[in-house]
Amino acid sequence: MSGYPVLSIIVLAPVAAALLIVLVGSHPKVPRVIALLAGVVTLVGSLAVWIGYDKVAGGFQFTESVPWIPSLGVSYSLGVDGISVPMLLLTSIVIFTGVLVSWNVETRPREFFALLLLLVTGVFGVFAARDAFLLFFFYEMAVLPMYLLIAIWGSTRKEYSAMKLTLFLFAGSAVLILLLVLAYWQVGQGTFDLGVWSAYRFTDQFQMWGFLLALVGFGALIPIFPLHTWSPDGHVAAPTAVSMIHAGVLLKIGAYGLIRLGMMLFPHGAHDWAYLVIGIGVVNIVYGAFCAMSQTDLKYVIGYSSVSHMGYVLLGLGIGGRFALTGAVFQMFAHGIMTGLFFALIGFIYEQTHTRAIAEISGLMHRTPLVAACFIIAAASSMGLPSTAGFVAELLVYVGVVTQSVWVAAAAFVGVVVTAAYLLRLLGRILLGEPSDAVLPIHDATPLRFAPMAILAATIMFVGILPNSMFTMITSGILPLLRRLAGG
């Protein structure tokens, strides 16, 4: 398969489909069919990369490179390692299920699916880029369509949420531009090639400030406290598929960028600021969990729970070490699938009952047992229960944290207790009891509507029961990072 540009196919298939939709998508059914075909292509391509990646050899594979802007040393350079392959698979699963969830979008379907595919092109590009300029180019491509998708197809203060999201992320982008310019000037070899930048030994002082800039720039998208306020509002205002992509994969771009540019290029800076990353991670975990507990809107509960769960990623990155780093990347995949399932379920409930108010929903177990079962699986993963992807991710992070600091582990464990409390209370309120007036008229999901939920729930269980399917892949990508952090 090495002779096929499989990464270019994955990255460019969505944007090619978006252009095709613009050209021939006048009929309401055409855009969704084209979008689904693009989702199939990217899913098959990602699975092929997953199967074909040599975990023993490790390193960047399926590489492609052609000059793009030779005068600046910019190239269209792609490649994936054991960290980016799971992110490609995550993105392809979420966009495929997201298109199915959006099958009944009736308002301007041509523009909706075209923007959705443009967004996911940027996400794929970030995870495959081996050139810093190209990575930033795709990063911006992933962020810009989000404004229109929320402002036009969203709900609940959609214009305010879209503008808030855009301003926060543009501020982060400005910081990243500064970082790229300074790093380009510091390397002084007229190239944005990340391989060249990784081989260059930045001064300790530059690494200290470079990592801080990466933390602020990418942290706005993770989102780190106190730059998180746009995220729950964005989750709530976005249409279902955009919420899935937003929480499922867009937040992962921030963490991925922090690993790829922050930690790989500035390992001494990562060491200098480790205490700050750990502190922010613990605050995210505990603060996000308490905020989720106090919410009355289903989407806000999951929005703040995402802030909490991304704290585990930060905690693992700050602690370092094999288990903590592997757990952090594992959590990126597990949280992406789990949150995608949560928002798919909430979207279905809202479409059927026209409410997301927790107080108005009860008895779903009686009226929609399949949906209720998926809700339980998503909640079990969020609580970190065994046989789910969330369990493996949180266990790895905690094993890594305990070996470094029992006190940090104890502080973060508060978030685990609070998460279990608010999710058990939520499940009791919306699933059990007699069906409320809003739930009484509804029925379980149709096969087409249930399919994306089943795919996401099955993925959670598969990875949870067979964690080695993910563990060895991620470990192969973590080892070079460990060597960089150890000064090798």
Side-chain angles (χ1 to χ4, degrees):
M1 196 170 58
S2 59
Y4 295 93
V6 63
L7 293 183
S8 285
I9 293 172
I10 294 171
V11 172
L12 300 180
V15 72
L19 291 174
L20 191 61
I21 287 173
V22 172
L23 293 174
V24 301
S26 56
H27 191 282
K29 291 184 179 179
V30 172
R32 65 193 66 167
V33 172
I34 295 175
L36 183 63
L37 291 175
V40 171
V41 169
T42 57
L43 182 58
V44 172
S46 298
L47 286 171
V49 171
W50 178 275
I51 295 169
Y53 184 85
D54 187 342
K55 294 186 280 292
V56 176
F60 285 91
Q61 301 177 21
F62 303 97
T63 54
E64 306 169 29
S65 186
V66 293
W68 181 18
I69 312 175
S71 58
L72 292 177
V74 177
S75 61
Y76 172 80
S77 181
L78 304 180
V80 288
D81 65 356
I83 299 175
S84 39
V85 172
M87 297 301 105
L88 286 184
L89 186 60
L90 165 68
T91 306
S92 62
I93 293 173
V94 173
I95 185 59
F96 178 73
T97 53
V99 170
L100 291 177
V101 165
S102 309
W103 202 253
N104 294 324
V105 168
E106 301 291 347
T107 305
R108 302 168 67 176
R110 175 193 284 190
E111 292 86 347
F112 177 83
F113 284 106
L115 286 170
L116 196 68
L117 292 169
L118 193 62
L119 186 163
V120 83
T121 296
V123 176
F124 278 127
V126 168
F127 291 142
R130 288 286 297 135
D131 180 282
F133 186 94
L134 188 68
L135 188 151
F136 184 75
F137 173 82
F138 281 124
Y139 177 91
E140 291 297 298
M141 183 184 287
V143 169
L144 288 174
M146 187 67 75
Y147 173 82
L148 295 174
L149 285 165
I150 294 176
I152 297 175
W153 290 272
S155 61
T156 316
R157 299 197 302 169
K158 57 184 182 182
E159 292 87 359
Y160 165 79
S161 299
M163 183 56 70
K164 187 176 182 181
L165 175 150
T166 304
L167 290 176
F168 267 80
L169 298 190
F170 268 135
S173 297
V175 175
L176 293 178
I177 289 175
L178 175 63
L179 172 62
L180 292 185
V181 171
L182 291 176
Y184 182 82
W185 171 77
Q186 179 78 10
V187 173
Q189 298 183 32
T191 179
F192 284 91
D193 190 310
L194 284 174
V196 175
W197 284 20
S198 297
Y200 181 79
R201 178 67 167 79
F202 290 93
T203 64
D204 289 351
Q205 186 176 25
F206 189 93
Q207 291 199 38
M208 185 179 71
W209 293 111
F211 181 82
L212 185 61
L213 289 175
L215 178 62
V216 174
F218 288 116
L221 189 53
I222 286 177
I224 63 172
F225 179 90
L227 307 177
H228 68 286
T229 59
W230 64 269
S231 182
D233 289 335
H235 290 325
V236 172
T240 299
V242 179
S243 293
M244 293 169 64
I245 295 172
H246 180 191
V249 297
L250 206 62
L251 304 187
K252 312 307 175 292
I253 290 178
Y256 181 82
L258 187 59
I259 295 172
R260 192 63 76 203
L261 292 186
M263 300 179 74
M264 285 297 291
L265 298 183
F266 315 121
H268 283 281
H271 181 267
D272 291 340
W273 294 105
Y275 68 91
L276 178 62
V277 177
I278 293 169
I280 294 173
V282 172
V283 170
N284 264 55
I285 292 170
V286 178
Y287 168 81
F290 274 109
C291 287
M293 175 176 270
S294 63
Q295 302 306 311
T296 57
D297 184 306
L298 278 174
K299 268 196 164 183
Y300 266 113
V301 173
I302 306 307
Y304 276 106
S305 79
S306 291
V307 174
S308 179
H309 281 91
M310 290 304 291
Y312 291 102
V313 176
L314 287 166
L315 187 57
L317 298 182
I319 288 292
R322 181 174 178 177
F323 285 108
L325 290 175
T326 304
V329 179
F330 211 115
Q331 175 73 350
M332 289 162 64
F333 182 87
H335 177 261
I337 297 294
M338 173 184 76
T339 310
L341 178 56
F342 265 132
F343 281 118
L345 293 164
I346 294 171
F348 172 81
I349 293 170
Y350 183 72
E351 287 176 11
Q352 300 294 311
T353 64
H354 305 294
T355 181
R356 296 192 306 260
I358 297 171
E360 297 176 8
I361 303 170
S362 67
L364 284 173
M365 186 75 81
H366 297 286
R367 304 299 299 165
T368 60
L370 292 176
V371 170
C374 288
F375 222 111
I376 292 171
I377 292 173
S381 185
S382 185
M383 288 187 283
L385 297 185
S387 301
T388 65
F391 168 75
V392 183
E394 292 186 19
L395 179 65
L396 288 169
V397 171
Y398 271 108
V399 169
V401 173
V402 167
T403 58
Q404 299 294 320
S405 171
V406 175
W407 292 109
V408 171
F413 192 72
V414 173
V416 176
V417 176
V418 177
T419 299
Y422 74 72
L423 283 174
L424 288 174
R425 187 178 65 173
L426 177 67
L427 291 178
R429 286 184 176 178
I430 70 172
L431 300 186
L432 304 181
E434 292 299 318
S436 60
D437 292 340
V439 171
L440 200 57
I442 73 174
H443 300 283
D444 221 334
T446 62
L448 177 63
R449 200 68 176 85
F450 183 65
M453 305 176 197
I455 293 170
L456 293 166
T459 305
I460 289 173
M461 300 299 294
F462 177 82
V463 174
I465 294 171
L466 299 172
N468 209 42
S469 61
M470 185 68 64
F471 185 84
T472 52
M473 177 68 77
I474 294 173
T475 301
S476 71
I478 287 299
L479 291 178
L481 177 59
L482 283 171
R483 287 194 289 270
R484 292 283 293 172
L485 294 175

